[in-house]
Amino acid sequence: MVFVVCLGPAAWLVWRGVNQNLTADPIKYITHFTGDWILRFLIITLAITPLRKILHVPQLIRFRRMFGLFAFFYAFLHFSTWIGLDQTFDLTGMWQDVIKRPFITVGFTAFVLLIPLAITSTAGWIRRLGGKRWQMLHRLIYATAVLGVIHFYWSVKSDVRKPLEYAFLVALLLAWRIGSWLMARRKGMVPRTTARQEPRTAESVQR
Ligand code: HEM
């Protein structure tokens, strides 16, 4: 059910496309729509750990990987819109855009950082890398979220309210993590994963 709900925004986009209802500037509309959903899914993914701890609902962890992969899915659509519709597969134009427009450089970096996370999201990769290394790698999601917000902030011309709202949420989630890490350290509770205890699924790796 959660999977189908997460597909909702994409289905909505397809529906509007089929009905030729993507506004006067469809490329801009699709780019903005998918961009918004990447950030929403990144924030939902980052919110899982605080929510399950605050609300005492450990089962929420089951959905974290799916939300993360949906962030990647919408990022892929966003990136593909830029490659196919905006740049019409013009490699030189793409390269010029990446190096000349700082907000594209930052967005591109954020997307590239998401790729290893999507690839290594399987149980097989967790076993191969080991829980600790896997967890370290998957901390890249924080960098992606911060870069995604900067990318959005730099892309808007005047009204910065929406990027600032996202920035506030990302900052809050990062502050929560830093706070709980500092508290655990003070109590001497920072978990140490040994080779024997290494988690075998994305769901069992705590972040
Ligand atoms: C994880 C990575 C990324 C995130 C989180 C992200 C997020 C966003 C957001 C939220 C917006 C604005 C949506 C709105 O106005 O409501 C946006 C716009 C845009 N993004 Fe991204 N983006 C990412 C990666 C990329 C990449 C890789 C490219 C292309 C190389 C790209 C190109 C653009 C463009 C061209 C716009 C439209 C700017 C405008 O019309 O002024 N983004 N992105």
Side-chain angles (χ1 to χ4, degrees):
M1 204 177 80
V2 176
F3 182 85
V4 173
V5 171
C6 293
L7 271 180
W12 170 248
L13 202 57
V14 172
W15 174 254
R16 288 191 69 138
V18 169
N19 288 291
Q20 304 200 330
N21 193 13
L22 290 172
T23 74
D25 190 344
I27 300 177
K28 204 174 182 117
Y29 181 80
I30 299 171
T31 309
H32 286 197
F33 185 86
T34 49
D36 266 333
W37 279 102
I38 314 168
L39 276 177
R40 285 174 192 154
F41 274 108
L42 284 174
I43 288 169
I44 294 171
T45 310
L46 286 173
I48 292 290
T49 299
L51 283 179
R52 51 183 272 270
K53 293 203 173 152
I54 293 165
L55 303 175
H56 303 288
V57 192
Q59 300 90 321
L60 279 179
I61 200 75
R62 291 172 54 204
F63 302 107
R64 191 177 60 186
R65 173 167 49 174
M66 196 198 295
F67 290 137
L69 284 172
F70 267 105
F72 180 73
F73 170 66
Y74 286 99
F76 183 74
L77 292 182
H78 187 72
F79 186 54
S80 308
T81 309
W82 176 75
I83 291 184
L85 302 178
D86 195 13
Q87 300 292 321
T88 53
F89 300 100
D90 170 13
L91 279 179
T92 323
M94 282 192 261
W95 181 241
Q96 292 296 321
D97 216 15
V98 170
I99 56 171
K100 284 207 179 128
R101 294 207 286 172
F103 94 92
I104 294 285
T105 319
V106 173
F108 188 78
T109 311
F111 178 65
V112 169
L113 294 183
L114 269 183
I115 296 171
L117 306 193
I119 294 173
T120 60
S121 67
T122 60
W125 269 105
I126 298 174
R127 268 195 302 275
R128 238 167 279 161
L129 289 174
K132 207 167 183 180
R133 261 184 294 171
W134 186 91
Q135 255 181 312
M136 294 269 283
L137 177 68
H138 279 250
R139 289 201 180 116
L140 281 177
I141 191 172
Y142 307 126
T144 295
V146 171
L147 291 174
V149 168
I150 296 173
H151 163 75
F152 186 10
Y153 185 84
W154 281 353
S155 80
V156 294
K157 270 103 203 154
S158 51
D159 190 355
V160 292
R161 270 176 303 177
K162 216 163 141 196
L164 286 181
E165 280 166 22
Y166 282 126
F168 172 74
L169 289 175
V170 170
L172 197 69
L173 291 164
L174 286 178
W176 185 89
R177 271 179 170 78
I178 294 168
S180 53
W181 182 78
L182 285 175
M183 266 160 54
R185 210 169 84 129
R186 197 172 300 160
K187 289 181 195 159
M189 279 168 49
V190 172
R192 296 189 191 286
T193 317
T194 63
R196 273 164 176 256
Q197 290 165 335
E198 270 165 14
R200 296 192 155 246
T201 65
E203 286 74 23
S204 62
V205 180
Q206 309 293 304
R207 247 189 269 142

